Amino acid sequence: MKQLFTLSVLAVAALTGANAADFPIKDKPITIVVPFTAGGPTDRVARDLAEAMRKPLGANVVVENVAGAGGTIGANKVAKAPQDGHTVLLHHIGMATSPALYRKMPYNTTEDFEYLGMVNEVPMTLIGRPTLPATTYKELAVWIEQNKGKVNLGNAGLGAASHLCGLLFQSAIKTDMTTVPYKGTAPAMNDLMGGQIDLLCDQSTNTTSQIEGKTVKAFAVTTAKRLTTPALKHLPTMQEAGIKGFEVTIWHGLYAPKGTPADAVTKINAALKAALKDPEFIKKQEALGAVIVADKRVDGAEHKKFVASEIAKWGPIIQAAGVYAD
Ligand code: ASP
């Protein structure tokens, strides 16, 4: 019996060894799952990253959008995906806010993933439909006050970054708005431009070109400091606009299902590091207001520590706001 056990352990070890050496599996693409709709800000980061990781990985890298429930459906899909390194998740701050926003989670954020490293940090912008009578934040505040009970605000569902930002905004100005959930902020942006919704808080990776093209109105950025991106540097911070202590920065990280072989994890991490140094990737991201992570959080262990600190930071804030979903 003892001998049998030893044999099976050896067999598993041999198998794991074979898998590890084979990564990436010849002709099999690596899929980056984006837990939101195509054409949105998370999707944008993923598509730029996929391009930059192709060469260092020596494999085709494709993006799959698995949208819904504020990102938890896509994240759950990856948590339960085959552990061969060929399915990874690109997720944002929702990774850390969902555990507080959902009473029941289909996966365990800290236990069910291999942390592959952080990618970037992205500011959010508070934007409005082009037909909104307000042009500055001050005018917007007056308009909101005059239209109490009638203002609606789009988001990408509970647990999404836009949900978190909208939540903090409503709580800061002590005004409830009607929230309109979408499966990502790409469709929310379409409705905002069409005037079906009034306001949206979204990552600059999705709003910069609309702000530049004046197809939406922009009121403020959510970072503590003004941005240096040419198209966004005129925007006041929420704090300058008068909302004390308001600060939200979105970050993106890469994850694989727990149990992915160490060799695949190491290779993906190395490819991520190479992508983060790729001048083309840096240029594209910076033009959209994103800042590439250049510190130790590009290592899995530090990335995991950071997410744990974000869970600890946002949990009490969300609990105090009294919002949750079943
Ligand atoms: N920006 C969205 C959010 O609110 C997600 C997306 O569509 O990428 O989290």
Side-chain angles (χ1 to χ4, degrees):
M1 185 68 183
K2 195 175 169 213
Q3 201 180 2
L4 240 184
F5 174 76
T6 315
L7 266 179
S8 62
V9 167
L10 283 177
V12 169
L15 193 71
T16 316
N19 280 347
D22 281 339
F23 181 82
I25 298 165
K26 197 171 175 291
D27 296 334
K28 185 174 178 179
I30 290 160
T31 302
I32 300 182
V33 171
V34 169
F36 297 102
T37 45
T42 315
D43 182 69
R44 180 67 190 254
V45 175
R47 284 175 200 272
D48 287 352
L49 188 65
E51 210 177 303
M53 285 178 79
R54 242 164 240 154
K55 210 167 153 202
L57 274 173
N60 191 15
V61 186
V62 298
V63 172
E64 185 189 354
N65 300 85
V66 184
T72 53
I73 294 177
N76 188 41
K77 181 170 178 175
V78 176
K80 299 180 171 69
Q83 301 143 327
D84 59 5
H86 280 262
T87 309
V88 297
L89 170 73
L90 180 88
H91 202 351
H92 62 27
I93 192 170
M95 199 70 182
T97 54
S98 297
L101 285 163
Y102 284 84
R103 278 216 257 228
K104 258 206 273 155
M105 286 278 284
Y107 56 87
N108 185 314
T109 306
T110 41
E111 301 299 319
D112 293 350
F113 297 93
E114 302 290 345
Y115 284 62
L116 303 171
M118 278 182 64
V119 179
N120 65 7
E121 291 184 317
V122 189
M124 297 195 97
T125 48
L126 178 65
I127 55 175
R129 62 177 157 86
T131 47
L132 216 59
T135 309
T136 61
Y137 179 81
K138 222 173 172 179
E139 291 167 5
L140 176 70
V142 173
W143 180 82
I144 291 173
E145 187 60 32
Q146 287 168 346
N147 287 278
K148 266 199 171 161
K150 287 188 273 178
V151 181
N152 59 50
L153 174 70
N155 70 32
L158 244 98
S162 45
H163 174 233
L164 175 72
C165 183
L167 197 74
L168 296 174
F169 181 49
Q170 291 173 80
S171 141
I173 63 167
K174 298 187 178 50
T175 305
D176 286 339
M177 299 176 189
T178 306
T179 49
V180 186
Y182 296 82
K183 285 186 173 179
T185 41
M189 177 64 90
N190 281 342
D191 277 6
L192 187 78
M193 291 194 295
Q196 281 88 5
I197 55 170
D198 298 315
L199 295 171
L200 178 65
C201 190
D202 201 15
Q203 284 102 301
S204 64
T205 36
N206 193 36
T207 63
T208 304
S209 50
Q210 278 83 358
I211 293 171
E212 248 177 331
K214 298 198 175 17
T215 51
V216 297
K217 289 201 170 175
F219 300 105
V221 289
T222 62
T223 40
K225 279 195 200 148
R226 277 192 189 219
L227 305 176
T228 51
T229 317
L232 305 172
K233 64 180 181 201
H234 67 287
L235 290 173
T237 65
M238 293 289 255
Q239 299 192 27
E240 280 177 63
I243 307 185
K244 242 175 108 189
F246 195 106
E247 200 211 330
V248 191
T249 300
I250 305 311
W251 42 265
H252 291 91
L254 212 54
Y255 310 82
K258 185 82 187 174
T260 299
D263 181 69
V265 169
T266 306
K267 283 178 178 162
I268 299 168
N269 177 260
L272 171 65
K273 282 180 178 153
L276 299 186
K277 290 201 175 102
D278 178 338
E280 207 36 48
F281 177 71
I282 297 173
K283 200 169 110 199
K284 280 191 211 156
Q285 289 289 298
E286 283 181 352
L288 300 172
V291 177
I292 305 300
V293 172
D295 54 46
K296 54 189 183 180
R297 292 172 302 165
V298 292
D299 283 317
E302 289 297 327
H303 173 202
K304 190 169 184 177
K305 265 194 222 160
F306 175 74
V307 175
S309 75
E310 286 282 284
I311 292 175
K313 171 180 165 181
W314 291 109
I317 298 172
I318 292 164
Q319 258 154 28
V323 218
Y324 58 83
D326 284 313

